[in-house]
Amino acid sequence: MPIVKYPRATEPLWHEWDRKAQKCGLRHTVYAVTGDQYTGEWLDNLKHGKGTQVWKRTGAIYSGDWKFGKRDGYGSYSIPDPVTKEYKKVYTGWWKSDRKCGYGTTFYPSGEHYEGEWSRGLRSGWGRMYYRDGSIYEGQWLEDQPNGQGMLQLPNENRYEGGWKDGKKHGPGKFFYLDKGQLFEGIWAADIPKCGLLIDFGRDEAPVPTQCPIPKIQLADPDGVLAEAQ
């Protein structure tokens, strides 16, 4: 009986080259077709572990933790100054799925900065914001806006303590006019005080107190009112 021999199937060379190209573990700098470069650890051909990414178009640098190709863990993101070309930190803190998540600090181009909690790339949770004019807000945030309970201190040291909603004073709160020596306590809605009580507070220490003290509210004839009620 004749023996039929079939030719052995040969595997394409690119299969072998692809296996060799699969990156796993620590690697030297790998360049993308866009010119971006990454130096660090890999797993199953994805950035995973510790590594540094440099984006060619912007010159930005991220150095820190990666997980399956995305920034995940602790790391810092910096960009070059357009004039001096020196690198300035934009964000240092925790990441999840390529977005800020957890505790971190962000520095804004205007000179303002925020330190506190993040969720899905937005300020959410507790945090402190330093504004350009010298004001400081410390309290709760939700989706990049003051929301919940918080305190806003102005450059002249006057301050508001109370509720916030969508970045505006909302609900019960107190406004300390320390420059005039007064305190307003009441209810706010969309940054506007709707009703409340204004009293003298620290008038003797105030730098520019009002001309006349606020008289205390009291009954002229409390005994007579009580007798009539009985």
Side-chain angles (χ1 to χ4, degrees), residues 52-68:
T52 300
Q53 170 90 12
V54 181
W55 286 268
K56 182 180 180 180
R57 186 176 64 85
T58 61
I61 294 178
Y62 170 80
S63 182
D65 297 325
W66 296 78
K67 188 174 181 181
F68 300 119

Side-chain angles (χ1 to χ4, degrees), residues 50-100:
K50 300 289 185 181
T52 300
Q53 170 90 12
V54 181
W55 286 268
K56 182 180 180 180
R57 186 176 64 85
T58 61
I61 294 178
Y62 170 80
S63 182
D65 297 325
W66 296 78
K67 188 174 181 181
F68 300 119
K70 294 183 178 181
R71 290 169 289 186
D72 201 300
Y74 189 85
S76 62
Y77 179 78
S78 305
I79 59 173
D81 185 277
V83 178
T84 65
K85 305 302 180 183
E86 294 182 356
Y87 276 91
K88 300 189 302 182
K89 284 188 177 180
V90 175
Y91 176 77
T92 301
W94 293 91
W95 302 73
K96 187 176 181 63
S97 296
D98 236 12
R99 292 190 288 186
K100 303 168 189 172

